[in-house]
Amino acid sequence: MKFLGLLVLLILNSLVLTPNALALQPIIVSYAVQPVSHFNQQLRVAQAQHQPWADDPNKISNRYAGDKFTLVSTQANKDSILTYQVSEFSKQHPQMLLIISLKQDAKLWQVSSAQLAWKCSDGKHFGTDRCNIAEHEASTAP
């Protein structure tokens, strides 16, 4: 039993100490639902025009997220994919996490949902807590 406890402790420490592990296994306590219907309309037009990005779920996720986000993880299921996009860390804004769920129907992808959460500079988790931007700027100053 002690061995199991030590193993769990070692795994938790590696998740806390490794920044990339946190990006791959974020702790999310709350999120804000983002609109997807307008994007899905644009996606259907792009699919009808056979635009290459409209057939690849990772490219669709990147297109929805925009240039300020980076795809850090993808989880595939039978006819759906879940992507995790993380924004750059900046002095002006908290780091954001965008979780996009895509589903495939009749060989065409669509965004079924998108959730946004962020992490304040002193935060340990992603959520929808209000961040004090003045504190955020002060804690990220060189």
Side-chain angles (χ1 to χ4, degrees), residues 6-59:
L6 289 173
L7 183 62
V8 169
L9 185 60
L10 180 64
I11 292 170
L12 288 175
N13 281 338
S14 68
L15 288 176
V16 171
L17 296 176
T18 308
N20 288 341
L22 184 58
L24 297 175
Q25 299 292 329
I27 299 171
I28 304 165
V29 296
S30 61
Y31 58 81
V33 175
Q34 301 299 293
V36 298
S37 61
H38 182 69
F39 179 82
N40 279 331
Q41 289 173 352
Q42 294 174 342
L43 178 57
R44 281 190 290 277
V45 169
Q47 288 166 338
Q49 295 173 349
H50 303 290
Q51 294 182 20
W53 70 268
D55 296 327
D56 181 338
N58 287 338
K59 290 180 181 177

Side-chain angles (χ1 to χ4, degrees), residues 14 21 23 30 48 58 70 74 84 104 110 121 135 140:
S14 68
S30 61
N58 287 338
T70 302
T74 301
Y84 292 84
Q104 191 176 33
Q110 71 174 8
S121 62
E135 279 181 20
T140 58

Side-chain angles (χ1 to χ4, degrees), residues 72-120:
V72 293
S73 179
T74 301
Q75 296 176 353
N77 296 321
K78 186 177 179 179
D79 291 330
S80 65
I81 290 184
L82 195 64
T83 64
Y84 292 84
Q85 300 264 357
V86 177
S87 70
E88 294 179 8
F89 189 78
S90 79
K91 292 181 181 179
Q92 292 80 23
H93 300 285
Q95 186 176 31
M96 294 185 285
L97 171 68
L98 181 60
I99 304 167
I100 302 170
S101 177
L102 298 111
K103 68 178 182 178
Q104 191 176 33
D105 185 32
K107 297 187 180 182
L108 296 176
W109 289 99
Q110 71 174 8
V111 176
S112 56
S113 67
Q115 296 90 25
L116 183 67
W118 49 89
K119 181 171 59 170
C120 299

